[in-house]
Amino acid sequence: MRSQLASLNVAALGRVGVLFGGRSGEREISLMSGNGVLDALRHKGVDAHGFDTGLRCPTELAKEKFDRIFISLHGRFGEDGTIQGLLELLNLPYTGSGVLASALAIDKIATKQIWLSNGLSTPEFEELTAASDWNAVVRHLGLPLIVKPAHEGSSLGLTKVKSVDELPAAYQLAAGLDKKVIAETCIVGDELTCPLVGQGDTAEALPVIKIIPPQANYDFHNKYFSDETQYLCPTGLAPEVNAQVQDLALAAYKALGCRTWGRADVMLDQKTGKPYLLEMNTSPGMTSHSLVPMAAKAAGVSYADLVLWLLSQTLQSKEAVTT
């Protein structure tokens, strides 16, 4: 990464649009990420301009005469393949995964099906509906279990269910945010995350981060606004465990066809020591509490250099923008 940046001609990046805000439940976080990215790019001498897709029609992008796009949108209408498809129609190179990988990764059920078909470990799950037999769900997945919207991030609409009586309310909460609701076995143990960068055979895993939230509750507040959540990088785990998590995360990233960057969330079962994939983020946060910048820093790469490197990858994507 550092060697690529050393030979980068910043002027070649041209006029850059940073997409942030949007219309998803993660709008507030996207604004924080996007403004951080915008400041970093300008600090590096890039001609960067913010574009809030929640306030402006995305079709106005054509009028801006951007040469490339840094996507700092999170959740639906930004991380799900929709904005990626528009950018491809406009022939605008952009950061992050393409249409297919973005659409797959935002759908937790589709993601799990692909991982399982590739022999990758992920908690048992099933899709819930209003007609689901709650007792049968518990027999299948056990207790506690996790109920969440299939297309939301940042723990929005997530409930840790400890008894069968709590399932209907948990389903209603998730269904209020998404037509598709997933329940999965709750893996008890260390909560880990592993950022990834690159594409195909050149993709690599950054250092693993161990997350220790207050009361073991890594909810929206504790992810972005609490100073009580602890992040350990290095994790304090055995080197072979870190390597196992990195290998699993990298395989998950490749199985979905991700490119440029992403972040795999993983649980390490405290009883068996086995890591389980939870989900893949294809447009990770870039706030002061975000995990990709934290892992990059541990690898010796600053926030501003990380942002510039991510954008620089669009220089090679013009001819491969539809892959």
Side-chain angles (χ1 to χ4, degrees):
M1 190 179 291
R2 284 190 291 269
S3 62
Q4 291 179 18
L5 286 175
S7 60
L8 176 65
N9 177 10
V10 172
L13 295 169
R15 180 176 166 85
V16 176
V18 177
L19 306 191
F20 55 56
R23 298 190 288 123
S24 79
E26 298 176 77
R27 173 177 170 80
E28 182 179 8
I29 308 308
S30 176
L31 288 170
M32 294 164 60
S33 291
N35 281 304
V37 166
L38 193 58
D39 288 345
L41 290 177
R42 288 173 173 171
H43 176 73
K44 287 291 186 178
V46 177
D47 181 21
H49 306 264
F51 189 103
D52 188 338
T53 61
L55 299 180
R56 300 178 64 185
C57 180
T59 55
E60 292 182 33
L61 282 167
K63 301 176 184 178
E64 290 287 346
K65 305 298 182 183
F66 292 131
D67 293 296
R68 64 200 69 255
I69 297 294
F70 194 113
I71 298 177
S72 281
L73 296 164
H74 307 318
R76 283 181 280 191
F77 315 115
E79 196 174 354
D80 60 356
T82 52
I83 199 71
Q84 288 78 7
L86 174 61
L87 294 174
E88 293 197 4
L89 287 171
L90 295 174
N91 199 29
L92 277 173
Y94 55 89
T95 55
S97 292
V99 175
L100 180 58
S102 299
L104 289 172
I106 199 78
D107 186 325
K108 296 178 178 63
I109 293 175
T111 293
K112 282 174 167 286
Q113 290 169 336
I114 288 174
W115 284 343
L116 289 172
S117 71
N118 281 269
L120 304 178
S121 57
T122 187
E124 289 284 334
F125 72 98
E126 65 178 87
E127 184 174 351
L128 300 183
T129 70
S132 290
D133 182 332
W134 307 124
N135 288 300
V137 171
V138 169
R139 286 195 297 271
H140 174 206
L141 301 177
L143 289 171
L145 58 83
I146 301 296
V147 174
K148 54 189 176 183
H151 297 92
E152 289 287 355
S154 297
S155 299
L156 294 172
L158 183 148
T159 304
K160 183 176 182 179
V161 173
K162 299 178 181 178
S163 72
V164 67
D165 295 337
E166 297 175 358
L167 261 173
Y171 168 76
Q172 290 298 328
L173 176 64
L177 297 175
D178 194 349
K179 294 179 181 178
K180 208 171 183 180
V181 176
I182 182 175
E184 65 181 2
T185 299
C186 178
I187 305 298
V188 179
D190 289 333
E191 190 159 358
L192 309 171
T193 196
C194 182
L196 307 123
V197 293
Q199 179 177 352
D201 293 338
T202 64
E204 59 181 306
L206 293 178
V208 179
I209 298 171
K210 181 178 178 180
I211 304 163
I212 308 176
Q215 291 81 50
N217 180 24
Y218 198 41
D219 61 8
F220 186 86
H221 173 77
N222 288 333
K223 282 185 176 182
Y224 300 111
F225 302 106
S226 174
D227 291 325
E228 296 181 47
T229 301
Q230 299 179 56
Y231 301 99
L232 305 184
C233 188
T235 61
L237 299 170
E240 59 270 22
V241 174
N242 284 317
Q244 185 182 12
V245 172
Q246 287 177 309
D247 289 345
L248 180 64
L250 192 56
Y253 182 81
K254 291 181 178 179
L256 293 171
C258 298
R259 70 181 187 210
T260 309
W261 68 326
R263 197 193 76 237
D265 295 333
V266 177
M267 289 298 298
L268 189 66
D269 192 307
Q270 67 180 12
K271 292 182 180 180
T272 66
K274 181 177 180 178
Y276 287 86
L277 293 160
L278 297 183
E279 56 189 80
M280 180 68 67
N281 301 273
T282 55
S283 183
M286 290 293 284
T287 73
S288 60
H289 286 66
S290 291
L291 303 169
V292 178
M294 195 180 301
K297 182 179 180 181
V301 179
S302 70
Y303 180 101
D305 280 346
L306 171 65
V307 169
L308 185 60
W309 181 84
L310 291 170
L311 181 64
S312 74
Q313 299 309 289
T314 62
L315 288 168
Q316 289 80 41
S317 67
K318 192 81 173 181
E319 69 281 358
V321 77
T322 58
T323 61

